[in-house]
Amino acid sequence: MIPFSILDLAPVTEGSDAAQAFRNTLDLAQLAERLGYHRYWLAEHHNMPGIASAATAVLIGHVAGGTSTIRVGAGGIMLPNHAPLQVAEQFGTLASLYPGRIDLGLGRAPGTDQPTAKALRRYFDSADAFPQDVMELLGYFEPATPGQPVRAVPGAGIDVPVWLLGSSLFSAKLSAALGLPFAFASHFAPDAMDEALALYRRDFRPSARLQQPYAMLGLNVVAADSDAEARRLFTTQQQSFINLRRGRPGLIPPPIDDIETYWSPVEKIGVERALACAVVGDEATVRQGIDAFIERHRPDEVLITANVFDHAARRRSFEIAAVCASNK
């Protein structure tokens, strides 16, 4: 069976707040555990009113503490925003508290805009040092040696699976060279997916961390009891993308009946291209869509996400997706 996992951005919906978003996140993680999802990842974003997962390591601890078996991790930590030592200490702490359950996915984008990157006291040019930062971080998880001047406490000698995330060829090349698992952000930037997958699998070098290539692909899945209702729920995600591209990111909006009245023809083309990896419909439609996605791309794991306004409808979407994903 191909494992299915969940990516959560801890969405803050209109009329709600971050505290409710965190309650919803834990509730969804507990449901995911009962439904048999393999891992539950949270993503780092900053200065985004509709995304509450900025303090990603803190939220991972909250979710791991409220669950018992599901893997919990970062999809991902944006490494240019952080000193590698601090990330090693944070995830060494998490892995000590919840052994065998913590993942660390690393991205090289800042996850925000330039003024916010400056406010984080890190800068866009930090992305140029991403390979060196990854190597430094991996080193902190190795057993400490006598006389080692700097060590991660906790962190040294602790098994924390490290993934590289990407939406281009850069991280595909780096994860292949380092022998690390690779997660591609096909749920919002699918253009280079096929080329990145082929490159990663072709150039993969076995390492002490991973003997064979392992690729996970992101997929938007919005499921409901009818195709029409699922398409309506999906307008929340479509509106959010349009608002971001208009430079007006805000709280997660409720669905609307006719998305055609909301976007321009040019915006429609851009959003549909960004969200091309999406399966939207009832159980039969979603099952067919997931089957087709797996048949075409052959991922080792699928990471699904659903930006649905109503929490009950979001729970229902993941319940339907879990049924469709079974026995894949």
Side-chain angles (χ1 to χ4, degrees), residues 2 10 14 18 24 26-27 30 35 48-49 74 89 92 113 129 153 170 172 176 178 182 198 203 249 253 293:
I2 294 178
E14 291 183 9
N24 291 345
L26 181 56
D27 178 69
Q30 291 168 340
L35 293 172
M48 301 281 285
E89 291 169 339
D113 52 70
V153 183
F170 184 94
L178 298 179
F182 176 54
D203 294 347
F293 184 79

Side-chain angles (χ1 to χ4, degrees), residues 56-183:
T56 316
V58 177
L59 192 53
I60 288 170
H62 175 61
V63 171
T67 53
S68 58
T69 58
I70 195 169
R71 298 193 66 89
V72 187
I77 292 294
M78 300 297 106
L79 195 52
N81 299 336
H82 309 276
L85 175 61
Q86 291 176 311
V87 176
E89 291 169 339
Q90 291 168 1
F91 280 80
T93 299
L94 288 167
S96 298
L97 289 168
Y98 310 104
R101 295 183 55 212
I102 300 299
D103 299 324
L104 172 55
L106 301 172
R108 72 183 184 106
T112 188
D113 52 70
Q114 191 167 4
T116 309
K118 284 189 174 183
L120 290 164
R121 303 296 188 265
R122 305 281 284 180
Y123 302 93
F124 278 135
D125 57 5
S126 296
D128 296 334
F130 182 70
Q132 292 76 25
D133 285 349
V134 171
M135 292 297 296
E136 180 182 346
L137 177 54
L138 292 173
Y140 289 128
F141 289 130
E142 295 296 321
T145 58
Q148 182 174 325
V150 179
R151 59 182 291 181
V153 183
I158 295 178
D159 180 21
V160 179
V162 175
W163 295 63
L164 295 191
L165 317 180
S167 59
S168 67
L169 303 185
F170 184 94
S171 289
K173 293 177 181 177
L174 185 59
S175 54
L178 298 179
L180 296 175
F182 176 54

